[in-house]
Amino acid sequence: MTIFTIDEVTKTFINGEVEEQVLKGVNLSLNEGKITALVGASGSGKSTILTIAAGLQRASGGEVLFEGKNMTEMSQEDIRQIRASEFGFVFQSSHLVPFLTVEEQLLLMLDVAETKMNKRAQTKEVKKVLTLVDMVHRKDAYPASLSGGEKQRVAIARAIIHKPKILFADEPTASLDSKRSKDVMMLIRELTKTLNITTLMVTHDEDMLTYADQVITMKDGLIV
């Protein structure tokens, strides 16, 4: 079932008197419970597609449809609410808050997402999700004491704690060695299937494409 559609999306940046068209009419559909990987050289437009889909920037033209609702016509506040409640994000860097423990990172995300859980239910949910990513034994640890792979596991747990429908992953393994990259991608794939999350991932690492259900190659602002 299609949950997300990008329809004839264009993006133009203006630098002084020069216009640069980064996206030239991109069409893309994302299906429930599937991982779609975007690949291509630097400047091909793949990261721009991800940020537009995630509501982090506006398209210059075309439509972005989430569950049939046109995000290009929404207010910034409506988009912010969708990002907080329906989307999850994993980036190249874990972006963990240095003065919060692993458990506190996830509790903060539940507050940001404005879930209706009471504190007892939140604590129970955090334990459940940390168990899924094999990090419950590190719940009281601070980011400085975690390895790179552990930080990404916590970042993934934080991204899914509020049960998002879409997971956006921008180079999630770029800062990791090959073994940890494999472990992180296996985890993302397992969670995508188990929780029926739709994942859109940007990657330069061809070894990670084996974990994707759909691979989209971009070149010069177009899907090829």
Side-chain angles (χ1 to χ4, degrees), residues 29-193:
S29 295
L30 305 179
N31 295 322
E32 279 186 319
K34 303 293 184 182
I35 299 176
T36 297
L38 289 175
V39 298
S42 296
S44 61
K46 58 188 185 300
S47 291
T48 303
I49 276 289
L50 185 140
T51 55
I52 288 174
L56 297 173
Q57 65 173 319
R58 295 276 192 179
S60 299
E63 296 182 334
V64 178
L65 304 174
F66 170 58
E67 294 188 320
K69 294 170 287 195
N70 191 348
M71 291 177 59
T72 54
E73 296 178 349
M74 292 181 183
S75 68
Q76 289 290 353
E77 176 58 21
D78 287 342
I79 292 175
R80 185 202 67 79
Q81 290 180 1
I82 287 178
R83 282 202 309 266
S85 61
E86 307 287 7
F87 295 168
F89 298 88
V90 180
F91 300 102
Q92 178 177 344
S93 175
S94 59
H95 295 295
L96 299 179
V97 182
F99 52 83
L100 296 181
T101 66
V102 167
E103 182 179 47
E104 289 167 344
Q105 309 275 346
L106 273 64
L107 289 171
L108 176 62
M109 185 64 234
L110 287 174
D111 287 339
V112 170
E114 300 178 355
T115 58
K116 305 299 182 183
M117 299 179 186
N118 59 35
K119 290 300 181 183
R120 182 177 179 182
Q122 285 186 348
T123 301
K124 185 176 180 181
E125 187 65 20
V126 166
K127 182 178 180 180
K128 176 183 174 181
V129 172
L130 287 178
T131 300
L132 282 176
V133 300
D134 194 24
M135 285 296 291
V136 70
H137 62 294
R138 300 286 271 152
K139 71 181 181 67
D140 296 319
Y142 288 92
S145 68
L146 302 177
S147 69
E150 286 177 329
K151 288 178 182 177
Q152 281 301 73
R153 284 179 171 270
V154 175
I156 292 168
R158 182 181 59 186
I160 66 166
I161 184 70
H162 57 300
K163 296 181 173 63
K165 294 179 180 177
I166 310 285
L167 177 65
F168 295 99
D170 191 0
E171 300 284 1
T173 63
S175 62
L176 305 175
D177 60 32
S178 59
K179 183 184 183 305
R180 290 192 177 95
S181 294
K182 181 180 178 181
D183 290 343
V184 165
M185 279 310 305
M186 288 178 65
L187 176 59
I188 289 176
R189 181 166 179 83
E190 179 183 350
L191 293 173
T192 296
K193 301 305 178 183

